[in-house]
């Protein structure tokens, strides 16, 4: 296959952009070399095979992006008043331990509690981290999410800009959440967010990764990578809240490696974008690790969501639990392809995966595909289940019989449908934020009249 056939899907990006990004950040030579290696891989890679089970329901070969720019020339956001309303109203004073705000391709604000900084917590952009903390970065950066995986990840490794690095030292507990907010206000931009979270032994942190943009006329491409290293006995919560505009094509890989007796709770909240192709992997090579994967998606119009998950058990007595739920209206579609793999050394392990999908339109489609690969002879428990179906007409009739309009009744049922997943988020403020994001898409809000209120009337 010729080089033209490999790369004509994207125009506007070139090797010169790699050098421009690196020079703009005054990066060390080793990082510049990594970028060049990744660009060479991007140029020579084909797209995934259309017959590959992971890719056969999302046709990336047919997507075209013309005249993309990797760096924005727009003026950076300077004050809180200039931020989009969802960010301004998200958190009150003192509700976050730290915050990174990226506007288009630049990090424009960094905040971290002074007491945490004094205890050795690091929160900065990836460019600064590479210069000031080269030991940590070279040890962990691009180790679990690599350029060789597929074409758009190679593009991320070559052109990432801004990004976030969070390090929590051993035995440090960060009581309040840390937030990364990525705001794209420029259409026709190619964004390549890169996040590295390293949490040392017996430490604890909650990290919120929120993305948002207005609806643009021109297409935007996002290719993002998140690496999470959870040390021995550490506890990490990671929440991805996708509120991209409707002409954003969002590709994201999140991969976490858990140490001995480590705990991870990861949640994907899918609200925005025209297309989202997201991979969430949890690797448990050490005994006693525990992973909880949650998913909440509300799609409408022509939105398409494609999630691939991996629960990889290698260490003995590891535990994982996945619960994904989606509600789909209009012509929206969703694919969930989830693999639970229990490898030969993982004796005494336990795993579960559940996917439930609510179809609010006769044109909406959901394809949940659970896969179990059990190679260990002594498994404590391993189960899976998947369903897709319409709203219960009896429940709708019950609500409408009490003078509740059908669209309001549907919103109430959507809230009840998602409740058991959202209730697994410990932080009340974050729970309400996730529920508000879902219900705002459905035309309601958290705290509106509930099914229980009507039933008890």
């Amino acid at each position: 296959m010729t080089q033209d056939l490999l790369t004509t899907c994207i125009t506007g990006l070139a090797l010169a952009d790699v050098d421009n990004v690196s020079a703009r950040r005054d990066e060390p030579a080793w990082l510049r070399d990594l970028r060049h290696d990744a660009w060479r891989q991007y140029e020579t890679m084909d797209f995934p095979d259309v017959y590959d089970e992971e890719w056969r329901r999302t046709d990336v070969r047919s997507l075209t992006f013309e005249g993309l720019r990797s760096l924005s020339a727009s003026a950076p956001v300077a004050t809180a008043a200039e931020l989009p309303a969802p960010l301004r109203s998200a958190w009150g004073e003192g509700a976050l331990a730290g915050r990174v705000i990226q506007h288009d391709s630049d990090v424009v604000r960094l905040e971290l509690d002074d007491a945490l900084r004094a205890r050795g917590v690091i929160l900065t952009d990836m460019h600064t981290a590479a210069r000031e903390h080269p030991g940590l970065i070279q040890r962990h950066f691009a180790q679990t999410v690599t350029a060789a995986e597929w074409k758009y990840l190679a593009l991320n490794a070559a052109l990432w800009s801004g990004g976030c690095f969070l390090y929590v030292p051993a035995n440090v507990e960060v009581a309040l959440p840390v937030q990364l907010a990525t705001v794209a206000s420029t259409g026709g931009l190619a964004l390549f967010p890169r996040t590295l979270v390293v949490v040392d032994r017996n430490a604890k942190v909650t990290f919120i990764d929120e993305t948002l943009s207005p609806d643009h006329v021109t297409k935007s491409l996002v290719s993002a990578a998140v690496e999470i290293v959870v040390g021995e006995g550490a506890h990490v919560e990671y929440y991805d809240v996708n509120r991209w505009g409707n002409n954003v094509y969002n590709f994201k890989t999140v991969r976490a490696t858990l140490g001995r007796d480590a705990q991870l709770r990861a949640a994907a909240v899918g609200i925005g974008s025209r297309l989202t192709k997201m991979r969430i992997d949890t690797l448990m090579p050490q005994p006693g690790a525990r992973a909880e994967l949650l998913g909440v998606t509300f799609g409408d119009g022509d939105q398409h969501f494609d999630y691939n998950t991996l629960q990889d058990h290698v260490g003995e007595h590891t535990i994982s639990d996945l619960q994904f739920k989606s509600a789909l209206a209009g012509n929206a579609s969703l694919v969930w392809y989830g693999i639970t793999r229990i490898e030969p050394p993982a004796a005494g392990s336990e795993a579960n995966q559940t996917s439930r999908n609510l179809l609010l339109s006769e044109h909406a489609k959901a394809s949940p595909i659970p896969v179990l690969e059990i190679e260990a002879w002594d498994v404590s428990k391993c189960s899976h289940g998947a369903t897709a179906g319409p709203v219960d007409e009896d429940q709708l009739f019950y609500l409408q019989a009490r003078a509740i309009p059908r669209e309001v009744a549907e919103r109430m049922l959507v809230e009840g449908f998602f409740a058991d997943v959202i209730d697994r988020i410990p932080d009340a403020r974050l729970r309400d934020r996730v529920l508000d994001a879902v219900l705002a898409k459905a035309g309601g809000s958290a705290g509106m009249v509930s099914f229980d209120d009507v039933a008890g009337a």
Side-chain angles (χ1 to χ4, degrees):
M1 183 173 287
T2 67
Q3 186 59 42
D4 287 342
L5 289 175
L6 290 173
T7 59
T8 51
C9 63
I10 295 178
T11 64
L13 302 179
L15 177 59
D17 294 305
V18 178
D19 293 323
N20 289 341
V21 171
S22 186
R24 182 168 170 172
R25 314 301 185 184
D26 190 26
E27 291 180 341
W30 64 266
L31 187 52
R32 188 166 57 251
D33 291 342
L34 283 181
R35 289 186 183 273
H36 279 236
D37 288 343
W39 180 262
R40 284 191 288 269
Q41 292 184 70
Y42 164 71
E43 287 189 309
T44 56
M45 277 183 181
D46 196 1
F47 284 102
D49 193 321
V50 292
Y51 297 106
D52 187 323
E53 187 66 31
E54 181 179 339
W55 293 94
R56 61 197 292 267
R57 295 167 184 84
T58 300
D59 183 8
V60 292
R61 289 174 179 264
S62 67
L63 298 176
T64 58
F65 301 93
E66 298 180 358
L68 290 178
R69 290 167 294 144
S70 60
L71 290 174
S72 173
S74 63
V77 173
T79 67
E82 296 177 72
L83 293 173
L87 277 184
R88 291 201 307 270
S89 60
W91 307 97
E93 187 70 25
L96 292 172
R99 171 187 270 185
V100 178
I101 298 178
Q102 177 162 340
H103 178 229
D104 289 344
S105 53
D106 296 299
V107 169
V108 296
R109 187 182 304 174
L110 287 163
E111 303 167 3
L112 179 63
D113 181 80
D114 289 338
L116 292 173
R117 185 180 287 108
R119 298 186 66 187
V121 174
I122 300 169
L123 180 65
T124 188
D125 64 274
M126 286 296 303
H127 308 287
T128 301
R131 294 191 303 269
E132 298 182 358
H133 309 283
L136 281 170
I137 300 303
Q138 287 183 286
R139 179 180 175 186
H140 297 291
F141 180 79
Q143 297 301 303
T144 57
V145 178
T146 68
E149 293 185 37
W150 83 286
K151 198 170 182 70
Y152 285 176
L153 273 180
L155 200 55
N156 172 281
L159 288 170
W160 63 267
S161 179
C164 173
F165 173 60
L166 171 64
Y167 172 70
V168 183
N171 303 310
V172 173
E173 179 175 338
V174 181
L176 296 174
V178 175
Q179 183 197 34
L180 167 64
T182 304
V183 184
S185 62
T186 305
L189 196 64
L191 284 180
F192 304 102
R194 190 88 197 196
T195 298
L196 174 60
V197 176
V198 179
V199 181
D200 217 328
R201 66 183 186 279
N202 299 320
K204 184 176 181 180
V205 72
T206 296
F207 188 84
I208 302 167
D209 187 355
E210 185 164 9
T211 55
L212 67 158
S213 70
D215 295 336
H216 293 297
V217 175
T218 54
K219 288 183 184 177
S220 294
L221 170 67
V222 177
S223 177
V226 178
E227 298 174 286
I228 304 173
V229 181
V230 189
E232 179 178 341
H235 186 179
V236 173
E237 295 184 29
Y238 170 83
Y239 299 95
D240 178 88
V241 183
N242 161 17
R243 300 165 68 111
W244 289 122
N246 65 7
N247 218 359
V248 173
Y249 290 74
N250 173 42
F251 298 87
K252 190 164 193 172
T253 296
V254 178
R255 187 166 295 131
T257 304
L258 280 61
R260 187 184 189 97
D261 298 324
Q263 296 184 49
L264 170 75
R265 177 183 289 112
V269 181
I271 305 297
S273 79
R274 170 62 180 82
L275 178 150
T276 285
K277 173 74 172 172
M278 185 173 185
R279 166 167 280 286
I280 308 173
D281 295 345
T282 52
L283 313 180
M284 293 171 281
Q286 301 297 323
R290 180 187 294 261
E292 183 179 0
L293 304 182
L294 307 176
V296 174
T297 300
F298 191 103
D300 61 10
D302 293 320
Q303 285 185 292
H304 177 68
F305 296 89
D306 187 340
Y307 297 103
N308 299 105
T309 62
L310 173 64
Q311 299 151 257
D312 191 17
H313 297 253
V314 179
E316 294 182 349
H317 303 289
T318 47
I319 298 173
S320 70
D321 182 30
L322 177 147
Q323 187 176 11
F324 270 46
K325 284 193 172 185
S326 74
L328 304 170
N331 294 302
S333 57
L334 178 137
V335 177
W336 167 70
Y337 179 70
I339 297 177
T340 295
R341 181 179 299 143
I342 301 185
E343 303 196 30
S349 292
E350 179 180 328
N352 174 68
Q353 42 179 209
T354 304
S355 173
R356 302 281 184 254
N357 303 277
L358 185 64
L359 305 181
L360 303 174
S361 161
E362 61 180 6
H363 302 294
K365 298 177 182 178
S367 301
I369 307 168
V371 178
L372 300 182
E373 298 178 359
I374 304 174
E375 300 178 359
W377 65 271
D378 179 19
V379 175
S380 176
K381 184 173 71 173
C382 196
S383 61
H384 64 179
T387 62
V391 173
D392 189 316
E393 289 295 331
D394 289 341
Q395 292 181 350
L396 277 177
F397 176 79
Y398 179 88
L399 295 172
Q400 289 179 276
R402 281 146 182 80
I404 297 175
R406 182 182 178 93
E407 61 273 15
V408 176
E410 284 190 348
R411 289 198 298 267
M412 293 166 61
L413 293 177
V414 167
E415 180 177 1
F417 175 72
F418 284 126
D420 60 337
V421 178
I422 295 176
D423 285 349
R424 294 172 71 170
I425 300 173
D427 186 277
R429 192 188 299 260
L430 181 56
R431 261 197 321 272
D432 289 342
R433 181 146 177 77
V434 169
L435 185 58
D436 272 333
V438 173
L439 294 181
K441 185 77 175 290
S445 63
M448 67 182 184
V449 62
S450 69
F451 185 91
D452 290 340
D453 292 334
V454 175

